[in-house]
Amino acid sequence: MDGLPRELQLLRLPDVLKIIPVKKSAWWQGVRQGYFPKGHKIGPKLRVWTLGEIEDLLEKISSDRLK
């Protein structure tokens, strides 16, 4: 997947939580509050996020810490 653009690299929640180390319940609370991206529902029980969305979130978290 390394050769794909970041907008096409899809991550499932366990992969996202390896990058953003929060508990699953905290992640979903952040999604409900609009702090974390909602991702994309691609099946009845499957939601994915693009690598780009997660990298953008990391930048946002970093800039929030600097304020």
Side-chain angles (χ1 to χ4, degrees):
M1 275 173 77
D2 292 339
L4 292 174
R6 64 188 208 132
E7 294 80 18
L8 296 178
Q9 293 184 41
L10 302 179
L11 304 171
R12 295 177 72 172
L13 186 58
D15 301 317
V16 170
L17 297 180
K18 289 177 185 173
I19 299 169
I20 310 290
V22 298
K23 291 185 178 186
K24 190 189 301 187
S25 59
W27 176 264
W28 288 118
Q29 182 179 9
V31 168
R32 284 190 299 277
Q33 294 174 344
Y35 188 71
F36 295 149
K38 290 182 179 181
H40 310 275
K41 192 166 187 173
I42 61 172
K45 294 185 177 184
L46 182 59
R47 187 170 295 269
V48 296
W49 291 261
T50 65
L51 180 59
E53 289 173 313
I54 301 306
E55 288 176 341
D56 291 346
L57 175 60
L58 285 172
E59 287 179 28
K60 179 184 177 205
I61 291 169
S62 294
S63 67
D64 287 351
R65 286 185 181 169
L66 294 175
K67 291 181 181 179

